[in-house]
Amino acid sequence: MKILETIAAFKAERDKIGGSVGFVPTMGYLHDGHLELVRRARAENITVIASIFVNPSQFGAQEDFSSYPRDTERDLAMLEEENVRLVFMPAIEEMYPQGFSTWVEVEKITERLEGESRPGHFRGVATVVAKLFNIVQPDSAYFGQKDAQQLAVICRMVSDLGLNLDIVAVPTVREPDGLAMSSRNIFLTAEERKAALVLWKALCLARGHWEKGQRDVASLRQEMASLIEHEPFANIDYISIADPETLQEIDVIDSPALVSLAVRIGGTRLIDNTMLGV
Ligand code: PAF
């Protein structure tokens, strides 16, 4: 496995690779969710390339860029174990050199949910992902369904800009009790870790009611909210039941629906989602 820190060095190695390339972009602090992306990429391609870059432009001024968990040595050992061929690990100045002034803005679907709670977040994500795609030149790129809106934004960008790659959505990997794996779970205290399960419980509650025939979104949302409000560590940021492609809120579930939520558990903001009707 080769670790490349500059675009020039990376491109020199990339040029030597023939056959299909699967790409897994990450911000590091890897967990089984990331490894699932790598394994899927390996199953479907001859070569797997990963990147590790904590992208400052997708964090707001008050967000956790500086405290975002990092453990590069461990990440690299995990990627090596999974037979990743190249790891692109640029410094901030390599990705955003002096004078950098070109940004990718995906409109409409970025206006709500994560986009509303985290202004500028998707501008940072779309820009860095577009730049990584240009550098890595993958045939396919792998993203987790846990970040459902990110996935929708990237699919929109790829389609709108006619980028020549496939985006592969990989199901969320969960802890045995149901908590979605996330690099930010490390911030939870033991008590908060227990409380964090309320996200998964709320999604299961919605699914349970839907399976029994409930189609009214306001009632489902209300049920979810009252479950979460009973958890003292939890503070709801949003609960959404929306069209999975446009992310517009719906009133009645009569076609596939994305149920997503963002909840603060103590100081840690967690997101999760499930699809109904697929
Ligand atoms: O999902 C992430 O880890 C990041 O948003 C990504 C896609 C690597 C871009 O920085």
Side-chain angles (χ1 to χ4, degrees):
M1 185 174 85
K2 285 199 170 152
I3 300 149
L4 294 318
E5 295 183 357
T6 65
I7 296 172
F10 177 85
K11 282 186 172 164
E13 287 302 321
R14 173 65 183 92
D15 285 348
K16 296 178 192 163
I17 297 174
S20 65
V21 167
F23 175 46
V24 180
T26 82
M27 298 207 299
Y29 212 74
L30 305 181
H31 50 67
D32 277 350
H34 296 107
L35 298 187
E36 195 60 29
L37 305 180
V38 173
R39 289 173 192 145
R40 178 83 179 268
R42 209 184 50 210
E44 295 179 357
N45 298 275
I46 293 172
T47 302
V48 179
I49 295 177
S51 62
I52 301 175
F53 179 62
V54 186
N55 173 34
S57 73
Q58 69 187 73
F59 291 79
Q62 309 306 322
E63 291 183 2
D64 56 354
F65 172 69
S66 53
S67 60
Y68 194 82
R70 293 161 170 89
D71 190 343
T72 309
E73 213 173 300
R74 182 172 151 272
D75 291 344
L76 292 174
M78 289 165 93
L79 294 175
E80 176 126 55
E81 183 87 354
E82 297 293 333
N83 291 320
V84 170
R85 168 113 172 240
L86 303 182
V87 181
F88 181 49
M89 223 175 61
I92 294 176
E93 309 75 56
E94 186 70 9
M95 292 299 275
Y96 298 104
Q98 193 96 48
F100 184 95
S101 37
T102 303
W103 298 93
V104 179
E105 290 266 12
V106 180
E107 296 176 349
K108 294 194 186 101
I109 56 167
T110 54
E111 282 163 13
R112 302 197 48 258
L113 309 177
E114 291 303 289
E116 194 172 344
S117 299
R118 306 180 65 189
H121 171 67
F122 285 120
R123 179 186 195 244
V125 170
T127 302
V128 82
V129 169
K131 183 158 182 171
L132 288 168
F133 286 171
N134 269 333
I135 296 165
V136 175
Q137 297 285 313
D139 296 280
S140 305
Y142 294 77
F143 293 88
Q145 277 171 349
K146 184 176 82 77
D147 296 298
Q149 190 176 12
Q150 168 170 283
L151 191 56
V153 169
I154 288 164
C155 289
R156 186 78 257 165
M157 174 183 81
V158 166
S159 159
D160 287 353
L161 299 183
L163 303 184
N164 194 18
L165 79 162
D166 293 325
I167 300 300
V168 181
V170 179
T172 303
V173 178
R174 298 182 178 281
E175 301 287 353
D177 63 359
L179 179 69
M181 289 200 181
S182 162
S183 303
R184 289 190 171 95
N185 291 350
I186 187 77
F187 294 136
L188 300 168
T189 64
E191 276 179 315
E192 288 169 352
R193 169 64 185 80
K194 279 188 207 148
L197 205 54
V198 79
L199 280 87
W200 176 234
K201 285 184 183 159
L203 293 172
C204 292
L205 182 78
R207 175 172 296 284
H209 284 295
W210 176 80
E211 279 169 356
K212 285 189 195 129
Q214 178 61 273
R215 297 291 181 265
D216 179 58
V217 163
S219 314
L220 286 174
R221 208 187 278 117
Q222 185 48 50
E223 295 280 357
M224 292 173 75
S226 42
L227 179 93
I228 298 169
E229 279 155 11
H230 272 92
E231 172 48 66
F233 284 100
N235 251 306
I236 300 172
D237 188 345
Y238 63 76
I239 297 174
S240 157
I241 303 183
D243 177 286
E245 269 182 37
T246 62
L247 301 186
Q248 287 306 310
E249 292 299 311
I250 53 177
D251 294 328
V252 176
I253 304 180
D254 49 15
S255 54
L258 175 71
V259 184
S260 63
L261 73 175
V263 179
R264 263 176 216 289
I265 304 290
T268 308
R269 186 173 177 280
L270 299 177
I271 59 172
D272 201 352
N273 67 78
T274 190
M275 281 285 282
L276 298 180
V278 275

